[in-house]
Amino acid sequence: MDFLIKFAQAHESFRLAEIHALAIVESVELKIVEYSNESPFCLARLQSRADARKLVRRSILAQSIHELWGVGDTLDELHESVTTRTIEQWTKFGSSSFKFSLDSYQGARSSSEKLSIINGFAYLPFDGPIVMCRPEEEFTVFELWPRNSVPLKIQQPDRLFLGRFIGGSSREIISKFDLKKRSYISTTSMDSELSLVTANIALAAPGKLFYDPFVGTGSFPIACAHFGAIGWGSDIDGRSIRGEGPRKSLKGNFEQYGLMTRLGGAFSADLINTPIRRHRRIWDGIVCDPPYGVREGLRVLGLRDPKKTPWLIEQGKRKACSADYVPPKKPYSFLAMLSDILDFAADTLVDDGRVAFWMPTANDENQEIAVPQHPSLELVTICVQNFNKWSRRLIIYRRLSDDNVSTVALAVHESKKHRTIAGTTVDDLNPFRRGYFRKFQAQNSSQQH
């Protein structure tokens, strides 16, 4: 059966990634028949109406799904398509309450034009009452107009669809998790929409364990917990987890949303110095937004040169368990961090488990950072969020079973793990930070001249 998915006007490059992921979560067979990022309409093929409802019921980027009754480049073609596709179904809806509406994308119709288009479907033998609020059946004429059709005074749309409403999505929960309503946030808290989308793409679901190694105030574990997973997290700065008290803390955020039963735990650690056992496959998913190191250099627990500061080692042994102890930190390479994320994911993800992390990049091919690779992880998809002068990418991998991992590629990867990255300054260790500021400085200089 063919269906029309209506997407929201946001995050176009994330749409198919989310809908494909939801097909996996809901165990439905999905085929994308037609889609373009330039349009909010997607034609999809599914086995049943029940599968269609399941596909979008927890989607954040979709708005609704409709059984496709017709499609055409003109109204005449649309009517012909409706008759060909659905004439055998007409008697099923003869006595049902119903309504018709019109949805124009990038175009506009006058009230009289809308009424004329809707009256054009009078040949459908619907004898039930017309009910504008919560009818039994809802039909929508969707129009896809050319860009700038209103100022250019274009008279007709490029494409028309008739859809019968099947089910809605969970887009309304974006407001529930809005950071403006959250008791405890920081400047790096991920917004609710993208947190929820990330959790969907990473396949968060009941009975699964999800972990964020850069948890901060808990945006990702909260999103995963909403979809039924148990959320865990850690952060190099324990203060971000503890917050300012019972309510203004990571735990307080879980309590605010009634998700305490889905908080596995949160602890202070970094990705390298972690109490989590490596080579023990426990996580169904890893989701995170690593620090970019723009405001200040990246840090990891440890000492630059332990031989020069043995007293710090002794101090750590004596005070490590003290509540006020602040462990020393050393500079950390941005590229090493990305590599460590993949190594950790390869060591701890279950088969087919996903790791989804955000990575920044400048909007310049000469400064673009290559997508990191790991022989045990298969790249699933890359979604891009563009800003004015830079972008960030959500990169998603799937853990391969050991039988499908090349032993040769794995040996080569292991041999490269111990290579040191030259440099001591924050710019030496972070190519994104270096490119970010150099580009902006060059632009500002050119504007001044």
Side-chain angles (χ1 to χ4, degrees):
M1 299 180 68
D2 288 346
F3 297 86
L4 183 143
I5 302 172
K6 170 68 183 301
F7 285 109
Q9 295 308 300
H11 308 300
E12 290 82 357
S13 73
F14 294 72
R15 291 169 174 170
L16 289 189
E18 186 197 39
I19 214 71
H20 278 300
L22 293 178
I24 295 173
V25 170
E26 301 288 358
S27 299
V28 302
E29 293 185 19
L30 168 69
K31 180 181 179 182
I32 300 299
V33 177
E34 182 180 315
Y35 174 74
S36 167
N37 280 348
E38 305 303 316
S39 166
F41 307 122
C42 172
L43 297 185
R45 190 160 294 153
L46 296 156
Q47 291 188 326
S48 67
R49 298 178 184 91
D51 283 352
R53 292 187 189 94
K54 289 196 294 183
L55 180 66
V56 304
R57 63 184 176 184
R58 54 175 271 183
S59 174
I60 303 302
L61 297 180
Q63 290 182 330
S64 54
I65 190 165
H66 307 256
E67 183 180 3
L68 186 66
W69 272 44
V71 57
D73 294 339
T74 65
L75 269 173
D76 289 340
E77 289 184 10
L78 176 62
H79 290 302
E80 182 180 351
S81 176
V82 169
T83 302
T84 303
R85 282 175 173 268
T86 65
I87 191 170
E88 295 179 354
Q89 298 188 54
W90 291 356
T91 56
K92 298 178 183 178
F93 309 102
S95 59
S96 301
S97 63
F98 69 95
K99 82 168 184 178
F100 270 76
S101 58
L102 191 140
D103 184 331
S104 298
Y105 175 67
Q106 297 185 151
R109 295 280 196 182
S110 66
S111 298
S112 59
E113 287 177 316
K114 291 179 181 180
L115 185 60
S116 175
I117 291 171
I118 291 173
N119 286 338
F121 292 92
Y123 58 87
L124 294 173
F126 296 166
D127 297 324
I130 298 173
V131 176
M132 301 310 293
C133 182
R134 297 183 180 179
E136 293 175 278
E137 302 296 339
E138 182 176 346
F139 296 87
T140 305
V141 179
F142 295 99
E143 294 185 329
L144 178 62
W145 289 72
R147 188 176 182 182
N148 295 326
S149 60
V150 174
L152 293 176
K153 298 182 179 180
I154 296 174
Q155 298 299 310
Q156 296 297 328
D158 287 337
R159 206 105 187 273
L160 300 99
F161 311 88
L162 178 65
R164 171 178 167 255
F165 179 79
I166 297 298
S169 69
S170 292
R171 189 162 174 79
E172 73 280 353
I173 66 171
I174 296 173
S175 176
K176 173 183 176 180
F177 291 98
D178 190 343
L179 293 183
K180 295 178 181 178
K181 302 175 183 178
R182 190 171 298 177
S183 298
Y184 175 58
I185 63 171
S186 71
T187 56
T188 58
S189 296
M190 179 66 73
D191 73 79
S192 62
E193 182 174 17
L194 288 176
S195 295
L196 293 161
V197 170
T198 302
N200 266 342
I201 296 176
L203 311 182
K208 293 186 176 183
L209 301 180
F210 270 67
Y211 173 63
D212 181 355
F214 308 94
V215 70
T217 61
S219 291
F220 287 122
I222 287 170
C224 295
H226 169 74
F227 292 121
I230 304 298
W232 293 76
S234 64
D235 201 287
I236 190 172
D237 187 354
R239 293 171 297 182
S240 65
I241 299 172
R242 295 188 297 271
E244 304 168 15
R247 290 190 59 191
K248 290 185 173 294
S249 65
L250 183 148
K251 182 180 178 181
N253 284 340
F254 271 80
E255 290 176 340
Q256 177 181 345
Y257 299 116
L259 295 172
M260 274 302 295
T261 57
R262 296 177 191 164
L263 172 59
F267 52 91
S268 179
D270 65 28
L271 199 59
I272 299 175
N273 305 282
T274 176
I276 297 173
R277 292 184 183 180
R278 303 294 286 261
H279 306 290
R280 185 174 180 181
R281 313 273 289 280
I282 58 172
W283 303 123
D284 295 286
I286 298 171
V287 289
C288 60
D289 182 23
Y292 305 156
V294 172
R295 294 176 181 172
E296 57 183 23
L298 297 172
R299 294 287 187 270
V300 68
L301 295 175
L303 301 170
R304 283 176 180 264
D305 190 346
K307 294 181 180 180
K308 292 183 178 180
T309 53
W311 61 274
L312 284 176
I313 298 176
E314 292 302 319
Q315 184 184 65
K317 291 178 180 179
R318 295 193 310 271
K319 298 184 177 181
C321 294
S322 301
D324 59 349
Y325 176 68
V326 179
K329 301 176 181 66
K330 63 181 180 180
Y332 191 28
S333 163
F334 180 80
L335 297 180
M337 178 184 68
L338 298 180
S339 178
D340 287 338
I341 292 172
L342 297 192
D343 286 339
F344 180 84
D347 287 345
T348 61
L349 279 175
V350 301
D351 287 354
D352 294 322
R354 291 191 173 188
V355 53
F357 69 87
W358 289 83
M359 189 179 92
T361 182
N363 291 338
D364 186 334
E365 292 183 1
N366 296 326
Q367 298 177 358
E368 186 172 348
I369 300 171
V371 174
Q373 302 290 331
H374 193 287
S376 297
L377 301 171
E378 176 186 59
L379 181 64
V380 175
T381 190
I382 300 174
C383 307
V384 181
Q385 181 186 24
N386 285 310
F387 297 101
N388 185 24
K389 298 177 181 178
W390 65 287
S391 304
R392 60 179 177 181
R393 294 175 283 184
L394 177 61
I395 307 176
I396 302 96
Y397 304 82
R398 176 178 71 92
R399 179 53 161 99
L400 300 172
S401 64
D402 289 336
D403 293 340
N404 292 322
V405 177
S406 167
T407 54
V408 175
L410 194 59
V412 172
H413 176 79
E414 290 294 326
S415 68
K416 293 179 179 179
K417 283 174 60 174
H418 303 293
R419 294 182 182 179
T420 58
I421 297 176
T424 56
T425 69
V426 290
D427 280 351
D428 291 336
L429 296 171
N430 190 337
F432 172 72
R433 185 182 193 276
R434 181 171 64 248
Y436 182 93
F437 282 115
R438 286 182 180 176
K439 182 176 182 180
F440 288 180
Q441 288 171 355
Q443 289 176 341
N444 292 336
S445 178
S446 63
Q447 290 171 0
Q448 290 173 0
H449 294 292

